[in-house]
Amino acid sequence: MDKINTIKFKLIDALLLICALLPLISIIILQILTEPASSGINLTGARIFFTVKMPLQDMYITEAQINSWAVILTIFFLCLYFTHGLSEKAYTKRQIAMEWVIEKTEALVTGNMGTAFSGFAPFIAAIIGISAFSSLISLLGLFPPTSDLNITAGWAILVFILITYYKFKCGPLGYVKSFGDPVPMLAPLNVISEVATPVSMAFRHYGNILSGVVISVLLGTGLQGLSSIVLGWLPGILGEIPFLQIGIPAVLSVYFDVFSGCLQAYIFAMLTMMYVSSAFNVDEFERRKLKKQQKKIK
Amino acid sequence: MLELAIGIIVGCCALGAGIAMVAGIGPGIGEGNAVAKACEAIGRQPESKGAVTSTMLMGCAVAETTGLYALVIAILLIFVAPNLLVDVLMGAIAA
């Protein structure tokens, strides 16, 4: 109890919070410095900051990558802040809050995937955290990394690798056999549906966030034009006040940025849990394990 | 003549994008059905509100996918295809 009241503890706390805020502040400054002046509908993809020469194809370092690294750093330092000063008995509010979060995540994972996958809770929590945070970053006026297909496709490929890994747990033969289910004639369709899983996951997340961004930009530009029509007859700077842009875009922002961003994070995590747990045949795995043990004994 | 060709390319890309978004009808009907059934279920069994709501959101997200494919194609047609096709045209003229 007295450990958390020392000056050193509070200093480290403040330092961690500053470290968590620093990446966000730095990408806001980067955005202000590098944003090209433009008028009208400004809908571009992620800006390319610089290009790294690579043997096969040039690697582009874009806004999406920089922003997602900033999000990762922020989440990392927030985690350090929330786990700072853990004790066996919870004294601090943050420890109680974090214990609640971890309990909820573990209940979600074991409820959806079964007890065999209880080790998946950190992974699922990481997916929800980074996805929600990446989408919510657009509230600061920044480019949300999830509205770039490359970022969501990266996560979807990760999930695809996990699915394939858990299918291989029942042996390579079992993996090949799973395509001939229910009849071997349907194997091409099964291959297509296997490939379609990561594609649809990536497109779903990307499309939802991107549609929000597109509609917000269109509405903002439309309201600017409308207010210049209404106030355009006033002389000088008075005619340029975009008074309709105050408040109205915020209503859409609550749906597209806050609700849709959090919902897509939840859905991405739910689909990950469902696909991975349905790829793993627990009974078959147990049977193989038992067989191997019996062979060893003989 | 060249202006006409470029105009046809850009105009047809915009028309294609508009026609692609007709696919938005499907998810609209599907999600409407899902939400209607969820409301009925909650009305019948108010105690199962939490489970019904999360399952409904899940189903809505999956039903939305076809609409989002159309959106991606429309966005490609508006922002990517015109530049690409005009480049192809210029290459054909230069050759």
Side-chain angles (χ1 to χ4, degrees):
Chain A
M1 190 60 199
D2 22 288
K3 199 178 74 180
I4 60 167
N5 280 328
T6 54
I7 295 172
K8 191 187 161 199
F9 186 88
K10 283 183 177 168
L11 263 178
I12 294 176
D13 260 12
L15 197 72
L16 286 174
L17 271 185
I18 289 169
C19 281
L21 282 178
L22 213 58
L24 290 181
I25 294 169
S26 60
I27 54 171
I28 290 175
I29 292 171
L30 195 71
Q31 162 106 354
I32 292 168
L33 286 181
T34 60
E35 189 167 36
S38 68
S39 59
I41 298 174
N42 177 25
L43 262 184
T44 51
R47 283 197 302 277
I48 296 169
F49 284 126
F50 56 89
T51 315
V52 182
K53 287 267 179 275
M54 286 276 168
L56 277 177
Q57 199 190 4
D58 290 349
M59 190 169 83
Y60 302 113
I61 303 296
T62 62
E63 213 177 354
Q65 269 151 320
I66 305 270
N67 284 7
S68 71
W69 273 102
V71 166
I72 291 168
L73 278 177
T74 302
I75 292 178
F76 174 68
F77 281 112
L78 275 182
C79 286
L80 282 185
Y81 170 74
F82 279 120
T83 54
H84 186 215
L86 286 186
S87 52
E88 210 163 301
K89 269 188 183 171
Y91 289 119
T92 50
K93 276 178 201 158
R94 66 181 100 147
Q95 186 175 349
I96 294 163
M98 281 304 109
E99 279 177 3
W100 180 81
V101 168
I102 286 168
E103 269 172 21
K104 282 283 162 192
T105 323
E106 279 180 348
L108 185 75
V109 170
T110 49
N112 282 304
M113 300 174 85
T115 44
F117 285 97
S118 53
F120 256 70
F123 177 67
I124 299 298
I127 278 188
I128 295 182
I130 194 168
S131 169
F133 216 109
S134 302
S135 304
L136 288 177
I137 209 174
S138 61
L139 287 177
L140 298 173
L142 296 163
F143 180 87
T146 39
S147 74
D148 189 326
L149 183 57
N150 300 313
I151 304 287
T152 52
W155 301 344
I157 289 169
L158 188 65
V159 172
F160 179 69
I161 291 171
L162 270 176
I163 293 170
T164 316
Y165 173 74
Y166 275 99
K167 280 197 170 175
F168 260 99
K169 277 230 164 177
C170 292
L173 202 69
Y175 178 72
V176 176
K177 260 187 192 166
S178 74
F179 285 107
D181 189 48
V183 277
M185 206 180 69
L186 291 178
L189 287 181
N190 279 329
V191 173
I192 290 173
S193 77
E194 190 78 14
V195 176
T197 305
V199 172
S200 79
M201 275 178 96
F203 273 176
R204 181 178 299 122
H205 199 156
Y206 153 78
N208 267 295
I209 308 297
L210 182 76
S211 64
V213 171
V214 170
I215 292 171
S216 303
V217 169
L218 287 181
L219 182 88
T221 321
L223 286 177
Q224 194 180 13
L226 205 65
S227 49
S228 77
I229 289 172
V230 174
L231 280 186
W233 51 275
L234 283 173
I237 200 162
L238 275 177
E240 290 167 13
I241 301 172
F243 74 102
L244 280 174
Q245 273 186 346
I246 303 166
I248 297 174
V251 180
L252 275 188
S253 180
V254 167
Y255 176 76
F256 283 119
D257 293 339
V258 181
F259 177 71
S260 187
C262 294
L263 182 67
Q264 287 311 311
Y266 171 72
I267 282 164
F268 196 90
M270 282 294 277
L271 286 177
T272 305
M273 287 191 281
M274 281 183 181
Y275 285 133
V276 172
S277 64
S278 68
F280 185 49
N281 193 341
V282 184
D283 301 336
E284 177 74 17
F285 182 67
E286 294 289 331
R287 206 173 54 78
R288 279 172 60 91
K289 212 173 165 185
L290 213 67
K291 238 183 189 174
K292 269 184 191 169
Q293 276 174 355
Q294 281 170 353
K295 251 183 199 170
K296 255 184 196 170
I297 293 165
K298 277 175 190 171
Chain B
M1 216 45 200
L2 190 64
E3 285 88 352
L4 183 66
I6 292 174
I8 288 175
I9 287 176
V10 175
C12 286
C13 284
L15 269 179
I19 294 169
M21 283 317 289
V22 172
I25 294 172
I29 295 173
E31 281 179 35
N33 270 336
V35 177
K37 294 286 177 193
C39 287
E40 277 177 20
I42 293 173
R44 226 179 291 126
Q45 281 177 304
E47 69 276 3
S48 66
K49 193 183 170 202
V52 169
T53 309
S54 63
T55 314
M56 181 202 73
L57 286 177
M58 190 76 203
C60 280
V62 175
E64 221 171 28
T65 314
T66 48
L68 290 167
Y69 290 156
L71 176 82
V72 170
I73 287 167
I75 287 202
L76 284 178
L77 274 174
I78 291 176
F79 291 108
V80 183
N83 295 336
L84 211 73
L85 293 175
V86 167
D87 282 355
V88 169
L89 182 75
M90 290 302 178
I93 289 173

